[in-house]
Amino acid sequence: MITWNIQNLGRSKSDAEIAQMAAVLRHADVVAVQEVVAKDPAGAQAVARLADELNRTGAKWDYQVSLPTKSPSPYISERYAFLWKTHRVRLKRKAYLDQTLQDRVYREPFIGQFEDKISAKAFYVINFHARKYNDQPEREIKTMGDYCERLNTQALILAGDFNLTERHTVWNPFYKKGFRSALYKNPTTLKRKCQDGIYRNHAIDNMFYPSGIQKIKAASIDWVGSCDRLEQARTVSDHLPVWMHFKLN
């Protein structure tokens, strides 16, 4: 699985940039995308373009785009998206925005329930983009600690851009419940300019999972590779994708 904040995914993305995204995502079975443009249809259309490009990579993909989030202003509102390989997983029912949190968060999470076609086991992905780091995203994250109880499962993944690190104290109640983070001290945002050969910045994109998920391996996907490619890479996104290979317990 991959989670990726694809910055302003909409009309501004060229065909070449969409092809770059597909090349990064093609090896995943499920993809959770944040920051799809909501103010016009171009965001949903860009996800459709991405799915079409993924379909050219050798596997059949399907996708679903969320409704715009019910945010305090249209400048904050976004859409989310899920994309998945149809021969590996199926979406058990239509994914939905979590309306129970719409008055407590800027962008309510997008919840999808998938089924692994090999094991026939189901799992949830909760796709989330928190408010900015200087706007107390911990106030939003602490509202999400009861998903295992609400969804009656330990097989879930909280994935996205949390705008704070896995070491923030807001995660302590999650860890006490048995949650773990896929990444640790792994910067996932891109600086505007390279400094001393370093172009990665904040460790804020991640996946968190309880006992129903067994992590095999996880990492960020540094498809930038060098300072020479930083400027071009930032036209696609200012975030790196995060992937996790996991088993369902």
Side-chain angles (χ1 to χ4, degrees):
M1 178 183 159
I2 290 177
T3 178
W4 197 2
N5 179 336
I6 303 178
Q7 182 185 26
N8 294 323
L9 180 55
R11 192 185 314 278
S12 66
K13 303 304 183 189
S14 69
D15 290 345
E17 288 161 354
I18 293 286
Q20 285 183 316
M21 296 174 206
V24 172
L25 298 173
R26 59 178 296 185
H27 300 295
D29 293 332
V30 179
V31 175
V33 176
Q34 303 89 47
E35 216 169 293
V36 179
V37 169
K39 64 179 180 290
D40 60 48
Q45 290 165 359
V47 177
R49 291 165 59 205
L50 177 56
D52 186 53
E53 189 65 33
L54 283 165
N55 279 327
R56 296 190 177 99
T57 64
K60 178 69 174 71
W61 288 74
D62 202 350
Y63 70 96
Q64 186 188 331
V65 183
S66 77
L67 295 170
T69 57
K70 292 190 167 40
S71 304
S73 89
Y75 300 101
I76 297 172
S77 178
E78 298 171 6
R79 297 179 189 261
Y80 298 95
F82 287 121
L83 302 100
W84 62 93
K85 282 179 180 163
T86 58
H87 76 282
R88 292 303 308 269
V89 297
R90 73 180 183 92
L91 189 65
K92 292 198 71 171
R93 65 178 179 125
K94 189 175 181 181
Y96 59 96
L97 291 171
D98 187 355
Q99 295 181 345
T100 64
L101 294 183
Q102 69 182 34
D103 295 327
R104 303 172 72 186
V105 300
Y106 280 0
R107 292 175 284 262
E108 58 272 35
F110 189 42
I111 302 175
Q113 186 183 26
F114 297 88
E115 182 182 275
D116 174 25
K117 287 190 172 181
I118 296 174
S119 68
K121 294 179 179 179
F123 62 98
Y124 284 90
V125 179
I126 298 153
N127 189 355
F128 182 59
H129 184 195
R131 64 179 75 177
K132 291 181 178 180
Y133 71 94
N134 57 359
D135 208 4
Q136 296 183 297
E138 61 271 19
R139 294 171 57 190
E140 299 186 330
I141 291 167
K142 68 182 181 181
T143 70
M144 300 177 191
D146 62 349
Y147 271 123
C148 290
E149 292 79 11
R150 286 174 51 194
L151 299 174
N152 191 29
T153 183
Q154 289 288 316
L156 65 83
I157 297 171
L158 181 58
D161 172 5
F162 301 98
N163 273 311
L164 47 74
T165 78
E166 76 288 342
R167 289 166 285 158
H168 192 284
T169 56
V170 74
W171 295 111
N172 289 346
F174 290 78
Y175 298 146
K176 288 178 181 178
K177 288 186 175 184
F179 275 79
R180 297 181 179 183
S181 65
L183 302 185
Y184 183 70
K185 292 186 177 180
N186 191 322
T188 56
T189 64
L190 300 177
K191 294 183 176 184
R192 293 185 181 275
K193 293 184 178 180
C194 214
Q195 296 175 335
D196 299 322
I198 297 172
Y199 52 83
R200 296 165 65 172
N201 209 359
H202 302 295
I204 60 176
D205 302 272
N206 215 328
M207 300 187 215
F208 297 84
Y209 57 95
S211 60
I213 302 291
Q214 179 185 342
K215 183 183 85 170
I216 298 172
K217 194 172 182 181
S220 58
I221 303 175
D222 186 0
W223 66 284
V224 183
S226 71
C227 291
D228 294 341
R229 295 186 58 190
L230 177 61
E231 184 176 356
Q232 188 277 326
R234 282 182 57 92
T235 66
V236 175
S237 180
D238 54 355
H239 291 250
L240 297 176
V242 172
W243 68 271
M244 180 168 69
H245 182 200
F246 65 90
K247 289 172 60 176
L248 297 166
N249 290 333

